[in-house]
DNA sequence: CATTAGCACTCTACACCGACGAGTGCTAAC
DNA sequence: GTTAGCACTCGTCGGTGTAGAGTGCTAATG
């Protein structure tokens, strides 16, 4: 445990470093109004804090910078969990009283990244246990068809195909009927299986070109990614001094290009708010960045994730308050429906 | 016009500079097998080429680098328009004989960026003159609805809403029927107008909460962006030496974050292949990069754009061949439908 | 007359040096 | 316990010198 004085100094050092990105020295601290100690005393305290691994030096005679452990301490002890000012960030922006869910999420990412100057990532809910609500095959021209697949959660997937002449319109219609009869209500992930056990035989009886048709249907019903990823403010991080060398930028951008990696990073964010500082992240490309993540609730059983990525030197207090507020706001927004 | 010798030297200089990114000097050129001249002679030729503004120096005693005009000359004179090797880049990759259009386009962008190490941008076709094919409102739970809108071109748009209790399921059904009766076949851009002239009165007669409902419908039918943008290989450019300073990276990435800007950049790419070198681009953020763009045809009247962005020091020959080949390939792919 | 060898010149990249300043740790005095 | 003072460390910045790559010009050459 830290003494009162140590706490104060650690806090001021972090606040200062977050602002300036320069190591902070004892003289500078001594000038701070909140401290009435000489530089020498402060040096002693700083030495103690360094011994406790909360501070680091960049070289033997430099000022101190917070270590990751230092940030961790800051987050755990200096940020009151009670900050619950509802900032109404979103509600302020939505003038329209009609809420289009996807748009709201996208907007949230935008706002978040603009307000913080970090990179915002929002995941839609995991749709893996949704069930099939409806299948539709709509012919567009003589040889193209658009297939539309709706899940119980309102997720819509569509694919356009060019189809061979062997397949007739009436066969398409018949097939859709069969699918809707047999497959509605089945979990998305089990569709391909159900297709083979439930549908194949029926198709064989009623459809002329059933083999070819079956291949198409299988393709339509093959579910791909289950989570939607929204990113905003990618370029923001480039302005941070920790990104001055292109190497780091490259690693990070490669990471952002892979949706799976992003999902991987955020997969174990459960209820509540999490802060992961530097090495605490398991994903290599984020190991010298910090992640603040929280969940929001689209409906009782559909959880989305909302996150910010920035340098470890990050304004945790502000970001945490913001994210907390936003995730709460999103949840109530989706729960209540529109606010007339 | 250039002499034989000048042509050769210009060509070799550009080829070399494209490979190494270092200014090329006379001694280095003299060693090239394709040239049997002394360094001094070459220097004279280079001076001539510089006078014609095809070459530049980075400082008084440096080797030469191509100017933008030099690249332009290279592209116009040294790249035979006849390169028509069908590389079958796409067809090689699609093992599956079922073609999902959107996936193909996405895949193309991926392949293109991987093969070239530049950034690939593909635009879907302009959908502004498509007409409405179908509207659907599917209730998901007591207070959520998903609206699905299909155009004649197979474009599917969907929006999820939370709706107030005042609106009943039967009213929803009635509304959808009215919409499909009255609006199918109308161009997307004119939907909001048609809604007010054609539908409002009918709704008033048949729907209980017609005013509120109308607001929702209006929202559903409001068309947003008309062109889809696929980007791949954003990070690629970071490896190019011309991106070593973060400033440039920042500008470029800000550009990529704005879809409108991208569409703006590519809007006047018409039939055929275009090469825009550096300043030839009108968009500020791309003024020191080069753009190679071509069109592909999804169906008779639906044109998409496929483009590569890289440094002006670019392997034009390779890129042009590749893009030509790919755009042709896409066009035939979509025209023929699947190749069984 | 085109080509080439030679030479003086220019400019960059790089390493090195020294001064300066910010900061530390330690010790002795308050 | 706190502070002033001092020696010491290290990074930054400007200047300086050298090596190397490259040029332009001129005079010699075939």
């Amino acid at each position: 445990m830290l003494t009162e004085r140590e706490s104060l100094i650690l806090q001021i050092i972090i606040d200062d470093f977050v602002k300036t990105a320069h190591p902070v020295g004892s003289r500078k601290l001594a000038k701070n109004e909140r401290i009435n100690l000489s530089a020498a005393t402060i040096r002693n305290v700083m030495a103690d804090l360094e011994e406790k691994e909360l501070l680091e030096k960049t070289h033997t005679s430099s000022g101190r910078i917070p270590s990751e452990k230092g940030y961790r301490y800051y987050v755990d002890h200096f940020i009151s969990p009670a900050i619950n000012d509802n900032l109404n960030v979103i509600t302020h922006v939505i003038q329209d009283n009609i809420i289009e869910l996807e748009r709201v999420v996208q907007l949230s990412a935008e706002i978040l990244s603009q307000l913080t100057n970090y990179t915002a990532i929002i995941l839609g809910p995991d749709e893996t246990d949704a069930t099939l609500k409806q299948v539709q095959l709509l012919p567009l021209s003589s040889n193209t068809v658009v297939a539309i697949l709706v899940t119980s959660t309102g997720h819509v997937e569509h694919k356009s195909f060019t189809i061979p002449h062997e397949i007739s319109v009436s066969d398409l219609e018949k097939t859709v009927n069969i699918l809707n009869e047999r497959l509605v209500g089945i979990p998305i992930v089990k569709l391909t299986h159900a297709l083979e056990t439930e549908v194949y035989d029926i198709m064989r009886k009623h459809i002329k070109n059933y083999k070819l048709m079956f291949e198409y249907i299988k393709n339509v019903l093959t579910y791909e990614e289950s989570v939607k990823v929204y990113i905003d403010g990618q370029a923001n991080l480039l302005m941070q001094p920790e990104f001055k060398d292109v190497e780091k930028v490259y690693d990070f951008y490669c990471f952002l290009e892979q949706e799976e990696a992003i999902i991987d990073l955020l997969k174990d964010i459960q209820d509540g708010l999490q802060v992961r500082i530097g090495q605490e992240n398991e994903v290599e490309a984020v190991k010298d960045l910090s992640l603040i993540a929280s969940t929001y609730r689209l409906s009782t059983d559909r959880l989305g994730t909302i996150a910010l990525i920035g340098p470890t030197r990050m304004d945790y207090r502000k970001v945490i308050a913001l994210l907390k507020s936003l995730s709460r706001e999103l949840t109530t927004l989706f729960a209540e429906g529109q606010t007339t």
Side-chain angles (χ1 to χ4, degrees), chain A:
Chain A
M1 208 50 194
L2 299 187
T3 67
E4 193 72 18
R5 177 181 295 172
E6 286 171 331
S7 275
L8 180 66
I9 288 184
L10 177 59
Q11 215 168 130
I12 295 179
I13 289 180
I14 294 185
D15 286 339
D16 191 283
F17 182 69
V18 164
K19 227 181 274 162
T20 66
H22 294 303
V24 7
S26 54
R27 273 176 53 84
K28 202 173 182 184
L29 278 179
K31 284 176 194 146
N32 190 304
E33 327 160 316
R34 294 162 67 192
I35 305 182
N36 261 351
L37 295 171
S38 77
T41 315
I42 293 171
R43 279 202 286 282
N44 291 329
V45 178
M46 294 205 298
D48 293 345
L49 286 170
E50 189 175 355
E51 208 162 295
K52 288 173 183 159
E53 294 184 333
L54 299 170
L55 293 181
E56 288 173 355
K57 283 190 273 192
T58 59
H59 59 266
T60 39
S61 74
S62 76
R64 301 304 207 291
I65 64 172
S67 68
E68 291 186 1
K69 205 170 156 191
Y71 286 121
R72 169 52 62 196
Y73 192 92
Y74 181 93
V75 169
D76 289 344
H77 295 84
F78 302 148
I79 297 179
S80 94
I83 359 167
N84 268 335
D85 15 331
N86 208 330
L87 299 168
N88 290 323
V89 258
I90 285 292
T91 339
H92 273 311
V93 179
I94 303 176
Q95 330 86 320
D96 211 340
N97 58 350
I98 295 173
I99 296 160
E100 204 276 279
L101 280 78
E102 191 163 334
R103 181 88 197 100
V104 169
V105 174
Q106 220 160 19
L107 209 61
S108 303
E110 256 172 58
I111 293 172
L112 212 48
S113 77
Q114 274 168 26
L115 246 41
T116 58
N117 272 317
Y118 302 132
T119 298
I121 300 180
I122 302 196
L123 298 191
D126 185 358
E127 304 279 357
T128 39
D129 50 355
T131 61
L132 183 64
K133 182 99 188 173
Q134 193 193 54
V135 187
Q136 236 190 324
L137 291 177
L138 218 58
L140 294 169
S141 68
S142 61
N143 69 340
T144 52
V145 165
V146 54
I148 303 171
L149 193 143
V150 187
T151 72
S152 57
T153 56
H155 190 81
V156 176
E157 198 129 328
H158 68 277
K159 298 182 180 179
S160 295
F161 290 88
T162 54
I163 55 163
H165 303 293
E166 292 93 331
I167 294 181
S168 70
V169 176
S170 77
D171 273 352
L172 277 179
E173 279 169 8
K174 271 189 228 161
T175 310
V176 174
N177 286 336
I178 296 174
L179 293 178
N180 277 312
E181 241 167 63
R182 297 281 158 174
L183 297 181
V184 168
I186 289 182
I188 297 294
V189 284
K190 290 182 183 158
L191 273 182
T192 16
H193 178 71
L195 201 61
E196 275 162 17
T197 58
E198 303 269 322
V199 176
Y200 188 78
D201 284 337
I202 305 177
M203 275 182 70
R204 195 176 47 181
K205 279 179 206 149
H206 297 90
I207 311 291
K208 220 182 293 170
N209 236 307
Y210 70 96
K211 267 196 176 161
L212 188 54
M213 180 70 98
F214 187 77
E215 282 308 308
Y216 273 85
I217 297 305
K218 207 162 119 187
N219 200 290
V220 170
L221 296 186
T222 301
Y223 203 65
E224 279 156 31
E225 311 131 37
S226 54
V227 180
K228 199 136 194 209
V229 181
Y230 307 85
I231 302 179
D232 206 282
Q234 292 191 51
N236 281 354
L237 289 194
L238 293 176
M239 297 192 308
Q240 306 289 345
E242 21 275 282
F243 271 81
K244 66 178 188 301
D245 59 331
V246 187
E247 286 280 332
K248 271 192 190 173
V249 181
Y250 181 73
D251 291 343
F252 182 61
Y253 277 75
C254 282
F255 163 73
L256 284 186
E257 276 193 356
Q258 301 164 279
E259 287 209 347
E260 323 88 65
I262 294 174
I263 293 169
D264 202 45
L265 175 71
L266 295 175
K267 66 172 185 291
D268 42 354
I269 303 294
Q270 294 307 330
D271 233 3
L273 186 134
Q274 269 197 39
V275 180
R276 294 218 205 108
I277 299 164
Q279 304 284 335
E280 294 171 19
N281 286 295
E282 309 236 313
V283 176
E284 196 57 43
V286 194
K287 271 205 194 304
D288 52 359
L289 298 172
S290 277
L291 174 81
I292 324 286
S294 178
T295 52
Y296 65 95
R297 198 172 285 279
L298 263 135
S299 63
T300 23
D301 52 347
R302 294 171 67 220
L303 228 48
T305 310
I306 169 176
L308 272 173
I309 296 185
T312 48
R313 179 187 63 81
M314 184 190 247
D315 188 343
Y316 291 96
R317 183 171 280 122
K318 174 180 162 190
V319 165
I320 289 175
L322 196 59
L323 215 63
K324 241 182 193 167
S325 175
L326 185 59
S327 73
R328 191 145 24 85
E329 223 179 319
L330 280 179
T331 302
T332 57
L333 199 65
F334 292 140
E336 290 170 7
Q338 56 138 29
T339 41
T340 18

